[in-house]
Amino acid sequence: MKIIFAILILLTTSVFAQISRGFVKEGLTVKSEILNKEVRYTIYLPFDYNSSNRFYPIVYLLHGYTDNDMCWLQFGEVNMIVDEAISSREIPPMIIVTPDADVSWYINNFDGTVMWEDFFIKEFIPAIEKEYRVRKEKRYRGIAGLSMGGYGALNFALKYPDMFSSTAPMSAAIYTDEQVKSYTQKRWNDVNGVLFGKNLVGEDRITKHLKMNSALHFLDSLDLEKIRKVRFYFDCGDDDYLSIGNCKLHIKMNALKIKHEFRIRDGKHSWNYWRSGLVDALKFIGKKFH
């Protein structure tokens, strides 16, 4: 019995040892002229980054509301999940970077006081792809995120289809007009007011700026030929309050003949759900990298 137990320990240790571990760097910053501040980010580099001269594909992985750039690492365990997926060849080696977007929702707000979308496209991506060995063609650039980050990932892929080959929003914060109009006044002012204007009520909340940043509104006004060249994967838990908006997006994309993969899985708006779905999301993005 002792011999069998010892063999099991050796086998387990051997399997674990075969997983090459990547590198994580936290507390790094990009100086932004647009936002007039330094923006922090966290980056994951594949296991062979420091021992090779190769250039890597990249995924921009966006965090959720009230989170920050370190949450995908702290709660999402992204480094361990990605290490194991690369080791098992489920996904190709890739760089993953998460910027700290605070509660910007990754957009330019209505009065131009927080231009986060401009910062991301014009400053952040160029800075990252200059600093690290990144393959800079669209084919090797993907974007994903959870909740607020899923909202951002979807918007960026739709607004900038020449930049991103694939997107994988998880539990994307997609709200219907009915949901927006039903918010309490406190919720609207605290969360949406800085984005679209404070003290709005009912139908007045469905502003032109909100429509410009809601896929359910602006999707059919885009160049659909370009949009159809982007690969879309999105999922949402069956017990998630955001499943209504995600299902409506699925229906709208079908009507517009935009190919996509949509999943409703068992789960709710939680880190357990996002951790369990991360590999599938990155596998979908990684297919284009091959």
Side-chain angles (χ1 to χ4, degrees), residues 142-208:
I143 189 164
L146 67 87
S147 194
M148 180 185 86
Y151 168 89
L154 177 65
N155 279 351
F156 283 129
L158 290 171
K159 291 182 180 182
Y160 304 94
D162 292 332
M163 290 190 66
F164 301 100
S165 64
S166 308
T167 184
M170 291 174 279
S171 309
I174 303 168
Y175 295 97
T176 66
D177 289 355
E178 291 72 23
Q179 288 174 315
V180 171
K181 287 185 281 188
S182 71
Y183 294 159
T184 66
Q185 199 60 43
K186 184 177 188 310
R187 197 276 191 196
W188 173 265
N189 284 339
D190 289 351
V191 178
N192 305 89
V194 71
L195 305 173
F196 308 116
K198 289 196 173 186
N199 301 317
L200 300 179
V201 179
E203 190 67 34
D204 290 342
R205 293 175 176 174
I206 314 303
T207 65
K208 180 180 179 181

Side-chain angles (χ1 to χ4, degrees), residues 50-186:
N50 292 330
S51 61
S52 74
N53 291 320
R54 69 172 294 190
F55 285 70
Y56 297 83
I58 188 167
V59 173
Y60 293 89
L61 186 61
L62 309 183
H63 68 75
Y65 185 73
T66 71
D67 284 345
N68 57 43
D69 61 296
M70 296 179 287
C71 286
W72 262 113
L73 180 70
Q74 182 66 38
F75 305 117
E77 300 174 353
V78 61
N79 58 322
M80 291 185 288
I81 291 171
V82 172
D83 282 342
E84 290 162 12
I86 290 174
S87 180
S88 63
R89 301 186 70 180
E90 291 183 273
I91 65 173
M94 59 180 69
I95 292 172
I96 297 177
V97 60
T98 299
D100 184 1
D102 197 28
V103 292
S104 67
W105 288 80
Y106 303 95
I107 65 173
N108 298 335
N109 70 342
F110 78 105
D111 61 3
T113 54
V114 182
M115 304 292 284
W116 213 93
E117 179 181 324
D118 282 4
F119 156 72
F120 183 68
I121 296 297
K122 297 177 181 179
E123 293 183 327
F124 187 75
I125 290 178
I128 292 297
E129 297 187 3
K130 180 180 179 181
E131 179 71 19
Y132 301 95
R133 299 196 308 276
V134 174
R135 295 189 182 275
K136 299 178 183 179
E137 303 96 321
K138 165 185 169 172
R139 175 180 177 180
Y140 301 109
R141 187 185 297 118
I143 189 164
L146 67 87
S147 194
M148 180 185 86
Y151 168 89
L154 177 65
N155 279 351
F156 283 129
L158 290 171
K159 291 182 180 182
Y160 304 94
D162 292 332
M163 290 190 66
F164 301 100
S165 64
S166 308
T167 184
M170 291 174 279
S171 309
I174 303 168
Y175 295 97
T176 66
D177 289 355
E178 291 72 23
Q179 288 174 315
V180 171
K181 287 185 281 188
S182 71
Y183 294 159
T184 66
Q185 199 60 43
K186 184 177 188 310

Side-chain angles (χ1 to χ4, degrees), residues 117 121 138 143 150-167 169 174 211-232 234 249 252-253 256 258-260:
E117 179 181 324
I121 296 297
K138 165 185 169 172
I143 189 164
Y151 168 89
L154 177 65
N155 279 351
F156 283 129
L158 290 171
K159 291 182 180 182
Y160 304 94
D162 292 332
M163 290 190 66
F164 301 100
S165 64
S166 308
T167 184
I174 303 168
K211 291 179 180 178
M212 289 170 55
N213 291 282
S214 168
L216 292 178
H217 280 284
F218 71 69
L219 182 56
D220 48 8
S221 67
L222 300 175
D223 184 338
L224 294 182
E225 289 307 308
K226 285 189 175 181
I227 298 303
R228 291 184 182 116
K229 294 178 181 177
V230 179
R231 300 172 68 252
F232 294 90
F234 57 106
L249 177 65
K252 191 176 187 75
M253 294 181 85
L256 295 172
I258 298 171
K259 290 183 178 180
H260 62 284

